[in-house]
């Protein structure tokens, strides 16, 4: 007798929500049972494209909708924590798009509820799945680089009026959280995943060309030490003209140096390590393309696969709630310097 497919619902039918829904439908062990969005104009799209019921709110879905084992939360940032808690209270596992929450306190409330209900929380940190990231993780964990001396993370993206549209939630401080939450939290996640926690943080923040677009900075320069040893910097900006420039990670270490770059850390640009020949890596996925701007690598199919494997006891969550919480806490500590 074959196991029943794992039933998913998606709340939030924007670009990323549609991608989640499509990836669920493409997975042989997953089934999409409903899509939820407060915009009634999405109903026709959902019913014709995904051929599943549409629900106007999470409350209506949880009360009247079909039973779902997993709820994927793809709504604006400020809704992630309350909706995750609501879903956990209804005994659903949750997949939360980045950022998991906009404060450490809210992140802790999610974890508390998940433990209380014995449910899993998966945080979407898609950078971990890209071939250069997988390779870097193995390289760092194996100790082949020796002592880590210096890590430099540069994120130079374009986010202009095509992204920060009037009347939306993006750019509104209490709904968006800020540039590090919405744009670059997965790069902070990659750094944390590879090198661990940071301390002795210093930062400077600038607003070059977003005064009319957002309620917060568009650029920053942050320096810190790693708790495990070594130092680092994070330099970021969304003030780049017209299109993304790059996101890169450079490591200077005892036995060599490495740089992963490209528009979204999708290619190895430099690798010179003692007694080491770099393997040929699989091709990185394409970027997420939105209306007039691009985002990070489109690795969401790996996320759905990981959820299925974890719930089938074949694997464990590749980004668990505690790691999602650490990223929020690191951003909070950086932003406390403003």
């Amino acid at each position: 007798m074959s196991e029943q497919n794992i039933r998913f619902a998606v709340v939030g039918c924007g670009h990323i929500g549609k991608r989640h829904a499509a990836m669920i439908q493409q997975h042989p062990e997953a089934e999409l049972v409903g899509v939820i969005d407060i915009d009634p104009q999405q109903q026709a799209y959902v019913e014709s494209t995904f051929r599943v019921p549409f629900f106007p709110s999470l409350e209506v879905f949880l009360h009247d909708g079909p039973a779902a084992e997993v709820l994927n939360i793809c709504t604006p940032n400020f809704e992630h924590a309350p909706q995750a808690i609501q879903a956990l209270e209804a005994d659903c596992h949750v997949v939360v798009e980045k950022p998991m929450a906009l404060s450490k306190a809210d992140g802790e409330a999610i974890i508390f509820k998940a433990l209380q209900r014995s449910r899993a929380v998966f945080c979407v940190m898609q950078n971990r799945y890209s071939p250069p990231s997988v390779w870097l993780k193995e390289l760092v964990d194996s100790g082949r680089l020796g002592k880590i001396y210096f890590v430099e993370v540069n994120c130079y993206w374009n986010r202009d009026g095509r992204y920060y549209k009037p009347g939306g939630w993006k750019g509104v401080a209490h709904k968006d959280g800020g540039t590090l939450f919405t744009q670059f939290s997965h790069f902070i996640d990659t750094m944390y995943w590879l090198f661990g926690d940071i301390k002795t943080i210093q930062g400077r923040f600038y607003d070059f060309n977003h005064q009319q677009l957002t309620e917060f900075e568009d650029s920053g320069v942050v320096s810190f030490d790693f708790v495990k040893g070594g130092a680092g910097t994070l330099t970021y900006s969304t003030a780049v003209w017209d299109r993304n420039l790059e996101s890169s990670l450079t490591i200077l270490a005892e036995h060599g140096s490495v740089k992963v770059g490209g528009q979204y850390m999708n290619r190895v640009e430099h690798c010179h390590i003692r007694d080491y020949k770099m393997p040929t890596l699989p091709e990185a996925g394409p970027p997420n393309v939105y209306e007039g701007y691009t985002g990070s690598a489109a690795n969401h199919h790996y996320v759905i696969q990981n959820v299925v494997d974890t719930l089938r006891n074949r694997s464990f969550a590749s980004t668990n709630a505690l790691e999602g919480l650490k990223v929020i806490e690191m951003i909070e500590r950086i932003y406390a310097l403003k």
Side-chain angles (χ1 to χ4, degrees):
M1 190 182 107
S2 67
E3 288 181 283
Q4 265 194 312
N5 284 352
I6 292 170
R7 297 183 305 279
F8 288 77
V10 175
V11 56
C13 193
H15 184 88
I16 292 292
K18 290 182 172 84
R19 166 151 282 147
H20 277 250
M23 294 299 157
I24 290 161
Q25 287 202 320
Q26 286 166 26
H27 196 287
E29 294 176 78
E31 181 190 349
L32 182 68
V33 298
V35 174
I36 305 134
D37 199 283
I38 55 169
D39 178 5
Q41 290 182 311
Q42 295 291 352
Q43 181 163 359
Y45 179 89
V46 166
E47 290 173 352
S48 63
T49 306
F50 301 119
R51 295 188 156 76
V52 297
F54 174 87
F55 298 88
S57 72
L58 185 53
E59 290 77 8
V60 171
F61 173 77
L62 293 173
H63 192 265
D64 302 330
E69 291 156 82
V70 185
L71 186 75
N72 289 35
I73 297 170
C74 308
T75 47
N77 295 357
F78 69 102
E79 294 183 326
H80 291 182
Q83 289 179 340
I85 289 166
Q86 229 181 323
L88 290 163
E89 281 175 342
D91 288 328
C92 296
H93 302 285
V94 291
V95 177
V96 192
E97 262 295 339
K98 61 154 186 71
M100 168 179 151
L102 291 179
S103 71
K104 187 184 171 197
D106 283 351
E108 286 170 340
I110 293 171
I111 292 172
F112 176 78
K113 187 57 70 179
L115 291 168
Q116 208 180 38
R117 294 286 184 165
S118 301
R119 286 294 173 265
V121 176
F122 302 83
C123 302
V124 177
M125 288 294 182
Q126 65 271 35
N127 276 23
R128 292 191 181 198
Y129 298 104
S130 73
S133 295
V134 174
W135 168 74
L136 267 182
K137 179 69 172 160
E138 197 279 318
L139 197 61
V140 171
D141 286 0
S142 69
R144 189 174 276 282
L145 288 166
K147 283 194 190 114
I148 301 295
Y149 294 154
F150 195 76
V151 175
E152 179 187 51
V153 180
N154 292 329
C155 300
Y156 300 134
W157 281 12
N158 159 265
R159 290 290 181 266
D160 52 25
R162 290 170 292 188
Y163 178 85
Y164 292 113
K165 293 184 172 132
W169 62 273
K170 292 168 182 162
V172 179
H174 71 281
K175 293 183 174 182
D176 181 311
T179 305
L180 289 179
F181 277 112
T182 308
Q183 310 305 331
F184 302 130
S185 60
H186 39 313
F187 297 103
I188 294 172
D189 171 72
T190 301
M191 192 175 77
Y192 172 67
W193 184 51
L194 294 172
F195 309 108
D197 206 354
I198 58 175
K199 61 181 185 179
T200 56
I201 307 167
Q202 294 176 297
R204 296 203 307 278
F205 305 92
Y206 306 91
D207 197 14
F208 294 121
N209 64 12
H210 283 192
Q211 291 90 343
Q212 264 57 62
L213 295 176
T214 71
E215 295 175 2
F216 42 76
E217 90 293 348
D218 59 31
S219 307
V221 183
V222 186
S223 63
F224 41 81
D225 296 322
F226 289 104
V227 172
K228 291 181 190 169
T233 60
L234 164 68
T235 310
Y236 67 94
S237 182
T238 49
V240 178
W241 179 73
D242 195 47
R243 65 168 185 251
N244 291 358
L245 171 58
E246 68 160 13
S247 39
S248 66
L249 187 147
T250 305
I251 307 168
L252 308 182
E254 185 181 6
H255 303 317
S257 53
V258 176
K259 180 177 181 181
V260 174
Q263 226 191 88
Y264 49 101
M265 292 205 320
N266 53 315
R267 62 171 183 261
V268 180
E269 294 186 345
H270 175 85
C271 174
H272 185 55
I273 301 166
R274 189 181 75 184
D275 302 330
Y276 179 77
K277 186 177 184 298
M278 194 185 147
T280 304
L281 301 183
E283 197 68 28
N288 282 305
V289 179
Y290 307 88
E291 298 159 38
Y293 61 92
T294 53
S296 55
N299 289 329
H300 287 87
H301 55 294
Y302 294 115
V303 176
I304 305 304
Q305 184 65 54
N306 179 238
V307 174
V308 170
D309 286 344
T310 303
L311 298 183
R312 292 267 192 258
N313 297 315
R314 297 191 290 243
S315 181
F316 53 88
S318 53
T319 313
N320 64 48
L322 209 54
E323 293 172 301
L325 182 70
K326 273 310 290 186
V327 171
I328 295 162
E329 190 235 4
M330 285 162 77
I331 294 172
E332 269 195 334
R333 284 189 284 146
I334 291 168
Y335 274 165
L337 301 168
K338 273 191 193 180

